[in-house]
Amino acid sequence: MRGEKPVEVGKIVAPHGVRGEVRVVQLSEFPDKVAALKEVEVAGQGRLEVTAARFHKQFILMKFAGVDSIEQAEQLKNKSLFVSREELGPLPEGRYYIEDMLGMLVVDTAGEELGHLFEVLPTGSNDVYVVKKTGAKDILLPAIKQVVKDIDIKNKKMLVDPPVWEDDK
């Protein structure tokens, strides 16, 4: 993948049927792009050609060249799917790859360093950013415009205006 860090776009969770199809939980915000891929990197298996892909319930069903039985499909269970950023195409304005955000310094509007972005939790309505700082409690920040004021990928810095929570008394 040309030296760039690949993007995880899905995970194979089970075989589907007896002819080698697999169920993929998609991990991208762009499922149509994932379903349209012609090749993917399958962890531990190398690059595989996608011969068919379709949506089924909350999954993408994929068929790979050379995977023609339930036994072969079972061997791919729990394997992650990766592609290059180039294959996904450009992100819309204001959208970022999680991999680029992890580790960035998180600073509040008063200039206080809150820690570093450790994890992004998908919750359905909006993501939640987990900020860690040595010797302090983790901070959970909703990934909404009212809280996240600026993300500077180049300088690995995020400016936030965290909500004020009432302390339990």
Side-chain angles (χ1 to χ4, degrees), residues 101 103-108 112-118 130-134 136-139 141 156-158 160:
M101 295 172 56
M104 68 174 30
L105 179 64
V106 179
V107 178
D108 70 15
E112 181 182 347
E113 293 185 3
L114 302 178
H116 290 86
L117 184 63
F118 178 76
V130 179
V131 179
K132 288 188 175 277
K133 185 174 186 178
T134 304
K137 287 175 116 177
D138 290 353
I139 299 170
L141 298 171
K156 299 285 283 177
K157 190 173 182 180
M158 181 185 298
V160 298

Side-chain angles (χ1 to χ4, degrees), residues 146-157:
Q146 296 90 328
V147 174
V148 180
K149 299 302 181 185
D150 185 54
I151 296 176
D152 183 348
I153 294 294
K154 183 179 175 189
N155 294 307
K156 299 285 283 177
K157 190 173 182 180

Side-chain angles (χ1 to χ4, degrees), residues 27-78:
L27 302 174
S28 164
E29 292 186 44
F30 310 102
D32 291 335
K33 287 185 179 185
V34 175
L37 292 168
K38 299 299 179 202
E39 282 189 340
V40 294
E41 184 83 23
V42 179
Q45 303 295 309
R47 202 112 173 115
L48 295 181
E49 177 188 354
V50 178
T51 58
R54 60 191 166 95
F55 292 100
H56 177 71
K57 299 181 182 174
Q58 73 268 31
F59 302 105
I60 298 174
L61 300 182
M62 283 191 169
K63 175 77 174 76
F64 299 111
V67 179
D68 299 312
S69 70
I70 191 170
E71 293 81 16
Q72 290 173 313
E74 185 69 38
Q75 297 298 312
L76 299 176
K77 187 175 176 182
N78 296 321

Side-chain angles (χ1 to χ4, degrees), residues 5 8 24 39 71 80-81 84 88 111 117 119 129 150 164:
K5 188 173 181 181
E8 184 178 14
V24 175
E39 282 189 340
E71 293 81 16
S80 292
L81 306 180
S84 69
L88 288 178
L117 184 63
E119 185 176 8
Y129 296 156
D150 185 54
V164 178

